[in-house]
Amino acid sequence: MTQPPPPPNQPPQQPGFGPPQDPSQQQPAQSPQQPPSAPAGGPDLNKAPEPGYGYPQAPQPSAPPAAPQGPGYGYPQQQQPAAGYGYPGQAQPGPYGQPQQPGAYGQPGYGQPGYGYPQPATMPMQPQPGGGGKKFNSQIAIIVSAVVAIALIVGGGVWYASSSGKDDDSKNTAGGDGKNKTNGGGGGENGGGSGSSGAQEKAPADTGSKVLFQVPAPKTPKDVTSISTAGSWLTDTVYAKSGIAEVVGYDRAKGTKKWTIDLPGPVCEGSGRTTEDNKTAIIFKPDMPTKGDPQSCTQVAVIDLETGKEVWTKTAQSGTMPISFNNVTVSGGTVAAGSTSGGAAWDVATGKQLWAPKTSDSCYDSGYAGGAKLVAVRKCGEYEARQLHIQNIDPKTGKVITEYKMDEGIEYAAVVSTDPLVVAADVGDSAGDGSGISDFFSVDNKTGKLRTRISAPGEDFAARCDAIYKIEKCSGLAVGNDRLYIATEEHDGSGESYGQTNEIVAFDLATGKQTGQRADAGDDYEIYPLRMDGNNVLAYKRPPYDKGGQIVSIDGGTFKQTTLMENPATENVRDVEARMSPDYAEILFSKGGLYMSSVYASDFSAGTDRKEYLVIAFGTS
């Protein structure tokens, strides 16, 4: 049906985000309802966190999942903006890359982002009929977050740029040595951290970027709706990206192919950690999925990102059955992979199995987080009476060094950082927004004792973790300088526009209190921490509809922002960048290069003129 146009100088509303989906089925999910906009003014950034705020004092019994509901009685009705201004209708990816089910009459399905799902700057959304809360039902979020999601990247045409500039259409249309690196960064936790060396990223003379290259989205096999392309990595010379049943190394400046690793099936997951000599680990399927046989993620491999060689491939068994792994990481010279049915660890250099966790009727290692330390999340007990053991373990032997036992009743936890050790959890299902986070736990790695607990209500903060399967897949935050840097939820900006904005604030991991540091995104922008760079925080600024995105460096002491990159503001380029939301796309920045990529390929644009891209890369002179 015909919808009213957006007000002058306002962007069209993009479809929202939906729940993730069972990886074995790989079919589009139905869209939940849309929430109202965030409250004006945003969270109180100066208040100290209150112990116990945002969660019950004792574990509460779970209620049956209820359908997400819209705003309650009396909520003012608002007009929904129509697509336009260069934003064609599309199936928009949701959290962790979930595309939405197309709506009736060919309209895109609109999902509910909730307050933990940042959106581009838009005018307020039209509330949906029905009463009840304004965010995701938390029980639904737990259930639907338990499966791997799908990302559909949809973009308009992009032309190769020939030179630098911002608004000129003619120029911008479109190893086993025990040390590890964070993907796209240097050594240490999140590419930096406490005690790290100085920042590596410097502002160029001209911060205006150009499109270096783009990679078209691959076509999915016959009768397969969508397929995983998870995993992207950066070295000094190579940008590597998973395709369909392959990993391809591109020249990071030109986009020309340097090597290809062919695989029998698609990559399910790629570690965000690399060794000092640029080796990393992936999980993949032993064959191509079909409509009748989706295949399981049983293969673990180490690949060399410089030479483009598959170093080794291994499997592990639980009893007589091969384990289907959910997550993989690298710590020191060890690769560790975990799942709900068991885990295993191998030597990076040789592929020799080093150890496997002890399993019992009541305990198992659900997954691992790597980097400076190797941390296991071990689950014990029955559902709704679960106790999670956060274990600092020896990478070579699997021996538990220290252990922190979380309160009983917490079903899932994600490891935000291994050194310092920071864990995120949704206590009592109180986050209410599907983010998986109501609290952070700062733990002493040496003693296993809790240092402090930080309350981070979903209505105030925009970070999120996939604590069900991925363990160390968190976004909207960074850890360094013994601080947690976290994005706030969007709220009304200054002035009379419909624009939204947010901030990055810091918490002291020793005291749990806010430090008072605050980096503002600016009106119509959303700021999103990517990683540490020495003592500085690297952040991506998602732009309004008429500008290009930015990369900024935030000084860890003064919180002064320095712009490192600003992308072209031309329509074709903006259309592609806008669909690479930090909520679901893989975003890597290093040495003046920004690489944004999809984690799924799909056939949803078949039969249309719409172009889809697997990768878009930007660079400064």
Side-chain angles (χ1 to χ4, degrees), residues 198-565:
Q200 301 296 311
E201 307 295 343
K202 308 297 182 183
D206 182 1
T207 58
S209 72
K210 63 181 180 181
V211 177
L212 298 177
F213 62 89
Q214 69 280 323
V215 179
K219 293 183 178 180
T220 59
K222 184 179 180 181
D223 296 327
V224 176
T225 302
S226 57
I227 200 163
S228 172
T229 57
S232 57
W233 303 268
L234 270 176
T235 74
D236 289 342
T237 59
V238 173
Y239 170 72
K241 174 61 187 172
S242 296
I244 293 182
E246 66 180 8
V247 179
V248 179
Y250 302 91
D251 183 290
R252 59 174 288 166
K254 301 175 183 178
T256 53
K257 287 187 179 182
K258 301 187 71 169
W259 49 259
T260 300
I261 299 174
D262 292 316
L263 301 168
V267 176
C268 306
E269 188 66 28
S271 174
R273 312 286 184 177
T274 59
T275 62
E276 283 291 306
D277 58 352
N278 294 314
K279 293 182 177 66
T280 192
I282 60 173
I283 306 168
F284 63 93
K285 296 184 176 184
D287 206 345
M288 291 300 295
T290 63
K291 191 173 183 180
D293 185 1
Q295 296 290 320
S296 297
C297 303
T298 57
Q299 313 295 301
V300 178
V302 163
I303 60 175
D304 189 320
L305 298 171
E306 286 293 345
T307 64
K309 301 297 184 182
E310 186 176 335
V311 181
W312 52 257
T313 298
K314 301 292 180 179
T315 60
Q317 290 187 321
S318 177
T320 59
M321 297 297 293
I323 296 173
S324 180
F325 293 103
N326 303 128
N327 53 77
V328 66
T329 195
V330 177
S331 181
T334 298
V335 172
S339 75
T340 57
S341 56
W346 301 267
D347 181 77
V348 168
T350 66
K352 176 184 177 181
Q353 185 166 330
L354 299 175
W355 48 267
K358 294 181 179 179
T359 58
S360 67
D361 292 339
S362 59
C363 292
Y364 64 94
D365 285 11
S366 64
Y368 305 95
K373 305 285 186 181
L374 183 61
V375 174
V377 176
R378 187 167 179 83
K379 295 191 175 186
C380 294
E382 301 298 325
Y383 183 74
E384 295 185 359
R386 191 89 68 196
Q387 186 172 48
L388 302 182
H389 299 198
I390 309 301
Q391 300 175 332
N392 178 17
I393 60 179
D394 185 325
K396 294 298 183 184
T397 65
K399 180 181 178 180
V400 177
I401 301 171
T402 59
E403 179 178 73
Y404 170 67
K405 295 181 180 180
M406 304 189 75
D407 291 343
E408 187 176 295
I410 300 175
E411 294 291 336
Y412 307 102
V415 180
V416 176
S417 165
T418 61
D419 188 23
L421 180 52
V422 182
V423 177
D426 186 359
V427 180
D429 300 336
S430 59
D433 61 353
S435 66
I437 304 171
S438 68
D439 296 81
F440 293 94
F441 298 79
S442 175
V443 179
D444 190 316
N445 248 325
K446 295 180 180 180
T447 66
K449 295 181 178 179
L450 181 68
R451 299 173 69 195
T452 190
R453 179 173 177 168
I454 299 170
S455 175
E459 63 185 5
D460 289 344
F461 298 98
R464 53 185 302 189
C465 293
D466 180 3
I468 307 297
Y469 284 152
K470 303 303 181 185
I471 305 301
E472 60 179 343
K473 289 288 185 180
C474 294
S475 60
L477 46 73
V479 172
N481 308 318
D482 207 33
R483 293 171 181 170
L484 169 67
Y485 301 98
I486 182 170
T488 69
E489 270 299 347
E490 287 186 304
H491 55 81
D492 291 344
S494 62
E496 298 179 356
S497 74
Y498 288 107
Q500 299 278 289
T501 189
N502 77 324
E503 303 80 27
I504 293 174
V505 297
F507 286 90
D508 189 306
L509 291 175
T511 66
K513 296 180 179 180
Q514 286 192 32
T515 65
Q517 296 167 308
R518 166 174 167 164
D520 294 315
D523 282 350
D524 301 333
Y525 284 87
E526 175 197 356
I527 194 166
Y528 179 97
L530 294 178
R531 63 174 176 88
M532 298 301 297
D533 175 33
N535 294 324
N536 296 345
V537 182
L538 289 181
Y540 173 70
K541 280 183 157 183
R542 193 171 190 193
Y545 80 105
D546 58 347
K547 297 183 183 298
Q550 298 178 0
I551 295 292
V552 297
S553 177
I554 304 170
D555 187 278
T558 66
F559 250 46
K560 177 183 177 182
Q561 296 183 43
T562 300
T563 300
L564 304 181
M565 173 182 286

